[in-house]
Amino acid sequence: MTKLSRRKFLTYVGTGVAAITVASSGITPLTGQAVASTKTTKKSNTKGKGLDFKAIEPSDKDELLLPKGYQYDVVAAYGDTINKQGDTFGFNNDLTVYFPIKDSSDHGLLWVNHEYSSDVFVTGPKNGDTYSKEQIEKILYVQGGSIIEVKKEKGKWKMMTDSKYARRITGLTPISLTGPAAGTHAVSGAKKVQGTFANCSGGKTLWNTVLTCEENFERTCEDASLNETHYGWVVEIDPFDSNFTVRKHTALGRFHHENTAMGLSKDNRVVVYMGDDVKDACVYKFISNGKYNEKDGTKNAKLLEDGTLYAANFAKGTWLPLTMESFEEKVNEMKEEGKLTEEDQALINKITSLADILVHTHEVAIFLGATPTDRPEDVEIHPKDQTIYIAHTNNSDHGNIHGHITKIIEKEDDLGSPTFDFEIFAAGGRQSGFSAPDNLTFDDDGNLWTVTDISSSKLNKDAFQAFKNNGVFVIPTSGKDGGVAFQFASAPVEAELTGPFFTPNEKTLFLSVQHPGEETEDKNKPTSMWPHRKGDTIPRPAVVAITGFKGGK
């Protein structure tokens, strides 16, 4: 008798509530297998790099561990000088995006996000309940993003500190607002705001700029006494052109943005998928009113200023437009049915225009019937079939301890479709060997690469003990190993691996090592010393370039 695997059982259960409940539980599999596969993967396409590695075992070592035959170079770490002006690499690097110079996979610019600061390693503690002016400036400076020039010479990747492109975008940089909320009462009349921070993930546009996402912005807003409505947006930067106006696109909504994934509808409109990294949050997509024209280059950025933002209702498989028309229709419907609550009325009092909807995106989405989900973080578009993959990291409030990866299938494979279906592609837990999926990326063969985000305070404890340190996992999306996770990397102590991004020839994988030693309480007694560089007295978040891939183009 053929054993029924847990993954196939989930497929048989279907895509309704029952499937989500089983997928979220982290229960042992029907076969009894309790770890991720450690067999050697086989490449399915000689054109791409495939998966020619023997999966590693979980580890709790203070090292970045890779399969045999792979190695990494530390390209830039916190505090490193990045240019002749003396700018330094920020703290807690996350997203990486590679931009080739002259189409090279060995020489280019690297955009890197910087998500948050640290009292222990960056500023020192507060004086009572407040930071000093100098501390606040440091907090704002170490967040945002870095543009660095990187080059592979004699088999090693390094940062070019004499670069004419290298610069910082920080919490101190003047940034313009675009779209429906710019200059309105919803943002206190602002057309320009101070800085970007809490930069988690993001994405690359079709016109070769970067979209960086502001996620958990509240703490820095409070510390620096800044207007919260000026943060929680998607920010666009052109790494090659310092004259390109850095801008926050209000048409994409304001919430705890994790990332963006950009594609085209069948009628050539720009579509941007986005997740909201909090418990019981929604999945969104934006569709531009105008159509993409490759010849327009960065002028296409205007497309992100005019369009419709939608939120997903998974139960009905529909994308709900977040517009004044739909909002007013819902209000009238609930009034007629006598269902308005005090909370509803409080929201109604806030919403007088599209600008208000975009500033209060989550509240409006829930009011209109969008589905609250389990921390929808990274969203990515499959390069072969246009399906959408979402890392639902976890939600302990509902017993979804280990999270899962959801797959959306748009009707007729059209990213502009108003309807969709979905399924649970992979569930975190002992049976799969990974927990808390976070950033995602695809290689050209359609294999899904995911990093994990088990909270540093929970690593190697209780329900998370079996997974040891955070890691990188590769999950084929088709074939006999479809849905099976293979561990490619293990992070240093208390670190999280983030922002995986391949060079065009897929011979290098850029990866951020974020917050090693995060649980350190005494700077003189760090719990990690990664990257173990001579002269360092503290652990340093850093970006690495991983090589050893046998394939490539």
Side-chain angles (χ1 to χ4, degrees):
M1 178 179 177
T2 302
K3 290 184 179 180
L4 180 64
S5 74
R6 184 174 182 279
R7 177 171 59 82
K8 290 181 179 178
F9 172 68
L10 290 175
T11 302
Y12 298 151
V13 169
T15 61
V17 174
I20 295 175
T21 302
V22 174
S24 302
S25 64
I27 58 174
T28 52
L30 300 178
T31 60
Q33 182 182 357
V35 294
S37 177
T38 56
K39 65 183 180 181
T40 302
T41 63
K42 299 294 183 183
K43 64 182 177 182
S44 58
N45 183 342
T46 55
K47 180 180 179 182
K49 70 181 169 311
L51 296 174
D52 284 333
F53 67 88
K54 179 176 174 56
I56 67 173
E57 298 282 354
S59 170
D60 57 7
K61 293 181 179 179
D62 188 31
E63 300 287 352
L64 174 57
L65 299 177
L66 302 171
K68 184 178 179 180
Y70 294 82
Q71 52 281 321
Y72 69 89
D73 301 314
V74 175
V75 177
Y78 167 60
D80 288 353
T81 300
I82 68 169
N83 59 22
K84 292 179 180 179
Q85 291 72 41
D87 284 317
T88 56
F89 196 70
F91 196 71
N92 274 343
N93 37 271
D94 199 299
L95 169 75
T96 70
V97 182
Y98 179 80
F99 294 86
I101 292 177
K102 297 181 180 179
D103 298 321
S104 174
S105 286
D106 293 334
H107 183 201
L109 300 185
L110 195 68
W111 168 270
V112 185
N113 274 3
H114 299 295
E115 189 170 1
Y116 59 97
S117 183
S118 166
D119 285 2
V120 176
F121 298 124
V122 178
T123 63
K126 292 181 178 179
N127 181 13
D129 295 330
T130 61
Y131 291 107
S132 68
K133 180 177 180 291
E134 291 75 18
Q135 286 176 310
I136 292 171
E137 288 178 351
K138 190 69 177 275
I139 288 169
L140 294 172
Y141 181 78
V142 301
Q143 297 183 71
S146 293
I147 299 164
I148 60 175
E149 186 171 342
V150 294
K151 192 172 186 179
K152 187 179 180 184
E153 294 182 335
K154 297 180 180 180
K156 297 287 186 180
W157 281 93
K158 66 178 183 178
M159 177 170 57
M160 313 299 289
T161 57
D162 61 349
S163 171
K164 66 179 181 180
Y165 299 108
R167 58 192 166 106
R168 289 292 316 280
I169 305 294
T170 75
L172 301 166
T173 304
I175 299 178
S176 297
L177 295 182
T178 75
T184 68
H185 68 278
V187 293
S188 302
K191 293 184 179 180
K192 185 167 285 189
V193 300
Q194 177 187 312
T196 181
F197 44 77
N199 304 81
C200 191
S201 189
K204 194 174 188 178
T205 68
L206 298 170
W207 46 92
N208 215 38
T209 61
V210 68
L211 296 178
T212 177
C213 292
E214 298 175 337
E215 191 189 56
N216 296 313
F217 53 86
E218 289 90 347
R219 177 179 171 183
T220 299
C221 282
E222 180 181 356
D223 291 337
S225 299
L226 294 168
N227 186 332
E228 284 195 4
T229 66
H230 296 175
Y231 307 93
W233 303 105
V234 174
V235 187
E236 184 173 9
I237 299 106
D238 184 345
F240 287 101
D241 185 3
S242 60
N243 292 319
F244 178 91
T245 301
V246 181
R247 60 199 71 180
K248 299 191 181 191
H249 289 296
T250 68
L252 301 184
R254 175 180 167 270
F255 45 90
H256 299 88
H257 285 274
E258 173 73 18
N259 86 309
T260 65
M262 182 177 287
L264 291 175
S265 65
K266 286 189 174 180
D267 65 356
N268 225 38
R269 300 180 194 276
V270 169
V271 182
V272 183
Y273 290 89
M274 297 167 285
D276 183 2
D277 184 14
V278 289
K279 295 176 181 178
D280 300 327
C282 304
V283 177
Y284 301 90
K285 77 173 177 182
F286 168 87
I287 303 178
S288 68
N289 287 335
K291 296 186 178 182
Y292 173 69
N293 184 346
E294 184 178 1
K295 294 180 180 178
D296 286 345
T298 57
K299 292 180 181 178
N300 283 293
K302 295 288 288 185
L303 296 173
L304 301 182
E305 300 178 21
D306 182 22
T308 302
L309 184 64
Y310 298 83
N313 180 317
F314 282 86
K316 295 183 178 180
T318 58
W319 291 100
L320 306 174
L322 305 188
T323 62
M324 278 303 296
E325 181 181 8
S326 60
F327 185 78
E328 289 168 351
E329 286 179 0
K330 184 69 173 180
V331 170
N332 292 333
E333 174 190 320
M334 294 183 72
K335 280 183 178 177
E336 289 176 5
E337 297 175 356
K339 293 182 178 179
L340 285 178
T341 66
E342 289 185 11
E343 185 178 359
D344 293 333
Q345 191 59 56
L347 176 62
I348 292 168
N349 293 340
K350 293 179 185 176
I351 307 301
T352 61
S353 66
L354 177 58
D356 295 318
I357 288 176
L358 295 171
V359 167
H360 302 284
T361 303
H362 170 73
E363 295 169 83
V364 172
I366 293 295
F367 178 77
L368 292 178
T371 304
T373 66
D374 295 343
R375 288 184 62 197
E377 293 210 49
D378 215 294
V379 186
E380 296 293 342
I381 303 169
H382 196 291
K384 293 185 178 294
D385 62 15
Q386 298 288 282
T387 51
I388 315 303
Y389 287 69
I390 306 165
H392 280 104
T393 297
N394 55 32
N395 190 340
S396 57
D397 289 352
H398 303 308
N400 186 358
I401 304 299
H402 299 303
H404 59 275
I405 298 172
T406 306
K407 176 181 175 182
I408 284 180
I409 306 99
E410 296 278 28
K411 186 176 181 181
E412 298 179 352
D413 300 325
D414 183 4
L415 301 187
S417 172
T419 60
F420 64 91
D421 202 350
F422 81 98
E423 62 188 53
I424 305 301
F425 168 69
R430 284 174 54 85
Q431 79 293 333
S432 58
F434 71 87
S435 176
D438 191 339
N439 298 152
L440 308 173
T441 194
F442 284 99
D443 59 38
D444 281 350
D445 286 332
N447 300 303
L448 182 67
W449 293 66
T450 180
V451 298
T452 61
D453 183 15
I454 302 171
S455 171
S456 57
S457 64
K458 296 179 180 178
L459 284 167
N460 294 289
K461 298 177 184 176
D462 303 324
F464 303 96
Q465 187 172 1
F467 308 99
K468 297 190 176 180
N469 292 352
N470 280 308
V472 177
F473 294 80
V474 188
I475 311 176
T477 57
S478 62
K480 64 183 178 62
D481 289 327
V484 178
F486 299 87
Q487 186 164 0
F488 177 80
S490 177
V493 167
E494 295 163 6
E496 175 190 354
L497 302 177
T498 62
F501 199 96
F502 285 102
T503 53
N505 66 3
E506 296 197 336
K507 290 186 177 181
T508 298
L509 174 66
F510 290 101
L511 187 69
S512 282
V513 180
Q514 190 184 98
H515 60 69
E518 186 173 43
E519 296 301 302
T520 297
E521 296 180 0
D522 182 346
K523 185 177 180 179
N524 297 314
K525 298 178 181 178
T527 56
S528 168
M529 275 303 295
W530 191 90
H532 306 289
R533 299 193 307 184
K534 185 178 181 180
D536 280 347
T537 59
I538 61 170
R540 295 187 183 271
V543 166
V544 301
I546 298 173
T547 54
F549 298 100
K550 297 182 177 64
K553 302 171 187 175

